[in-house]
Amino acid sequence: MEKLSLCILLLLVSTPLQAQSGPQQNASPRPDPIVTTKVQPEAPLTISAKPHWFDDKIFEIYVVVKNVGDKPVTAYATTWLDLSLPNSNKACFIYSFPGPGKILQRDKSDGKSHWSNTNSENKPPQLEFATDFVEFADGSTWGMDHCQAKEHLDGYRAGARAARALFKSTVGEVGGEQFIAEISKGPVQSDVPVGHSDRWRDSFRSGIEGMRSRILRAYQERGLPEIDIELNRPIDASDTPEAR
């Protein structure tokens, strides 16, 4: 069975394609990495990738997905496989849109930059990108999900919701300043629900830490009044007012 290397990037702030800077100019005379995309005629997202060398070793690949299906998309995962390396493992990238208003609608696109390096002196790397998983606004999903994106998303969201409930209670009891002092000490310790996979449980812990980081960042950038505002923002595009 093919080994899978998971490189998880859960982006709770995903900006529209037109707002992204796009690829850098090719700064190297070397041939561009050879990039292909796996043919997936049944996929609700098309995928394209454009490579550019940043310098002699590092290259950027700008990957764009476009919703060509009938359902709006709340999250997706893509894979990256280096075909030029024997026994290469797939890298996975998982993305979640930041709120219900940012859902990827039909005919809309989302772009992300990936960076990597190569030790190859004789020929550029051969990279294959594919869509691995898609989550729709109605809760249904598509894809083989080699990346275990559903387990990751479910666990992360559960952890973030648990942290949000705990933080709201704590703020109400001790006030904003003491609350910030407490969560600034380090990661929040919390019981992880049993009966789930290791992947889910690891993501649950990540969700708790993600919520802690969001609150601290909001406080540092905009002060105490932002704590309550941030605690009532959606976790991501799958969140609903009822969950908050």
Side-chain angles (χ1 to χ4, degrees):
M1 180 178 293
E2 182 180 49
K3 294 182 179 178
L4 181 65
S5 174
L6 295 173
C7 178
I8 303 305
L9 301 176
L10 180 71
L11 301 185
L12 296 180
V13 180
S14 177
T15 54
L17 174 63
Q18 57 268 28
Q20 308 240 351
S21 60
Q24 302 285 332
Q25 292 297 316
N26 192 339
S28 171
R30 299 176 65 184
D32 281 337
I34 300 171
V35 176
T36 59
T37 54
K38 189 174 182 179
V39 178
Q40 299 170 285
E42 76 287 1
L45 298 181
T46 60
I47 184 169
S48 60
K50 186 174 180 62
H52 284 270
W53 286 103
F54 181 75
D55 58 25
D56 288 341
K57 293 288 186 181
I58 300 173
F59 57 91
E60 175 195 21
I61 301 179
Y62 194 60
V63 179
V64 177
V65 299
K66 180 179 180 180
N67 186 356
V68 295
D70 295 326
K71 297 180 180 181
V73 171
T74 50
Y76 67 93
T78 59
T79 59
W80 166 346
L81 179 64
D82 190 340
L83 301 176
S84 59
L85 296 177
N87 303 316
S88 176
N89 295 329
K90 286 182 180 178
C92 292
F93 303 90
I94 302 174
Y95 302 102
S96 172
F97 293 98
K102 301 295 184 178
I103 289 173
L104 189 66
Q105 302 288 347
R106 180 179 174 84
D107 295 328
K108 299 298 182 181
S109 299
D110 185 59
K112 297 288 185 295
S113 287
H114 301 298
W115 298 86
S116 188
N117 62 355
T118 179
N119 294 320
S120 172
E121 298 295 339
N122 299 319
K123 60 181 180 180
Q126 302 176 40
L127 306 173
E128 181 185 72
F129 286 83
T131 303
D132 181 62
F133 171 84
V134 181
E135 177 191 74
F136 303 107
D138 63 5
S140 61
T141 62
W142 173 92
M144 295 294 293
D145 198 11
H146 293 293
C147 298
Q148 295 181 295
K150 180 171 174 51
E151 283 288 281
H152 171 71
L153 291 167
D154 288 351
Y156 188 98
R157 290 162 177 167
R161 287 193 295 268
R164 180 169 60 188
L166 174 62
F167 292 169
K168 284 184 176 183
S169 174
T170 305
V171 170
E173 292 174 1
V174 305
E177 291 186 358
Q178 186 174 338
F179 164 70
I180 290 296
E182 287 298 319
I183 68 171
S184 296
K185 294 177 181 178
V188 175
Q189 301 301 316
S190 178
D191 292 334
V192 181
V194 298
H196 296 280
S197 67
D198 290 343
R199 175 87 161 123
W200 190 99
R201 290 164 62 84
D202 287 343
S203 297
F204 182 92
R205 297 184 185 95
S206 296
I208 294 175
E209 180 59 21
M211 181 58 68
R212 185 181 80 93
S213 297
R214 284 177 61 171
I215 299 302
L216 287 174
R217 183 169 58 250
Y219 165 73
Q220 291 163 359
E221 293 177 354
R222 297 181 291 278
L224 281 174
E226 190 66 21
I227 295 175
D228 287 336
I229 296 173
E230 191 66 33
L231 285 172
N232 285 287
R233 293 188 196 279
I235 292 168
D236 62 12
S238 69
D239 211 352
T240 62
E242 292 76 14
R244 300 194 290 277

